[in-house]
Amino acid sequence: MHSSTIASVALFVASTLAYPTPTGSSVADIAGGSAPNGTPPKNISAAAIADFQGVNFLENMEAAFFEQGLENLTAWNHHGELDAAIEVVTRVHAQELIHVQTAKNILNHFQKPTFEPCQYQFPVTNAEEFLDLANIITSAGIGAVINVASSLALTDPSLVQGPASILSSEARHDAFFRIAALDIVPNPTPFDTRISAAYALNLASPFIVPGSCAAMPKFPTIPPLAQIKPRYHQHGTTGTDVPIQFAVDAQALHRAGALFIGWVNQANVVNYTPAKMVGTGVVETVIPEGLGGMAFAALTNTQTATDVNTLTGLTLAGPAPVQIS
Ligand SMILES: *[C@@H]1O[C@H](CO)[C@@H](O)[C@H](O)[C@H]1NC(C)=O
Ligand SMILES: *[C@@H]1O[C@H](CO)[C@@H](O)[C@H](O)[C@H]1NC(C)=O
């Protein structure tokens, strides 16, 4: 679809949304439903506890992001141009709170520790930046929940349904953000991209005010990798087969040898491209053919890992979200 067509779809959505939020309604009313009310299984694996703690921790951040965003959008909405975004984000916020509750209910049932929200800082000064970051945060969240569902399928099959149902709900959020923020198609690819819990937590880290969490899940800290060229925030797409540069702390490359970017995308094995230093703390590579949607790039010095969880242990810096299409 051409981007002007998408713009008119967005306008159409804006002019036809007709679900005003009733004042005084509960979170479940606004969200459109409550946390699952079935009986949890008799037992739960240690891996599943870590998975739901990760979901609890990350969804706390998402809920806070959308709560702040909703306040901001309301303040920034001078001529009704943000009405549609406010309608949608009102529900997104409530739905994230229900997702937090879903994870907490399971953890409480098994008398396992839960996480309370931290303080957060988001690099957002206007509606465009908010919607743009909403797309990145939601894509990373979807990637983490794909990992949770895949892992639960092996250890705790009876717990898969909750995260599986969360995935399609979050994908609907992201479809809106893609149109509203970037004016790009809501459905770029047949698959979304799985990321590891450690990747998700490292991507969340910059948004957490240091020292503000009463407790945090344990995770390995990986030095950051930041896309610098082509710039992400351009209302455009990066495409494939084009040069791309990332900023990285030069310390992370100390005696690294040959460098590669491992590309994590859709349900495929990791795709590697050779990377070279082109300046202090700047690495360059080419985006390979065949990627789509949101890819995650990791700097590494081996090409052995085929899946994201193995690549995580071999990541020198990253991941960086890269909007391909
Ligand atoms: C639950 O307990 C049963 C019986 O001990 C065991 O076979 C099963 O693997 C356990 N499930 C999980 C998710 O740990
Ligand atoms: C909301 O606006 C404040 C003030 O400009 C800003 O500091 C904060 O990062 C914004 N947060 C979001 C999620 O939009």
Side-chain angles (χ1 to χ4, degrees), residues 97-137:
L97 290 174
I98 298 290
H99 295 165
V100 169
Q101 198 54 53
T102 302
K104 281 179 137 183
N105 285 353
I106 290 169
L107 294 166
N108 283 331
H109 177 83
F110 292 104
Q111 299 181 336
K112 300 298 176 191
T114 57
F115 293 106
E116 292 310 309
C118 314
Q119 281 167 31
Y120 306 96
Q121 51 196 8
F122 300 104
V124 170
T125 56
N126 57 48
E128 198 175 53
E129 286 173 2
F130 166 75
L131 294 166
D132 192 2
L133 186 56
N135 170 43
I136 298 176
I137 287 180

Side-chain angles (χ1 to χ4, degrees), residues 2 45 75 89 122 137 140 166 192 209 212 266 268 271 276 290 299 318:
H2 191 264
S45 71
V89 173
F122 300 104
I137 287 180
I166 286 175
D192 285 301
V209 175
S212 70
Q266 302 186 57
N268 292 323
N271 187 335
K276 60 175 193 284
L299 187 68

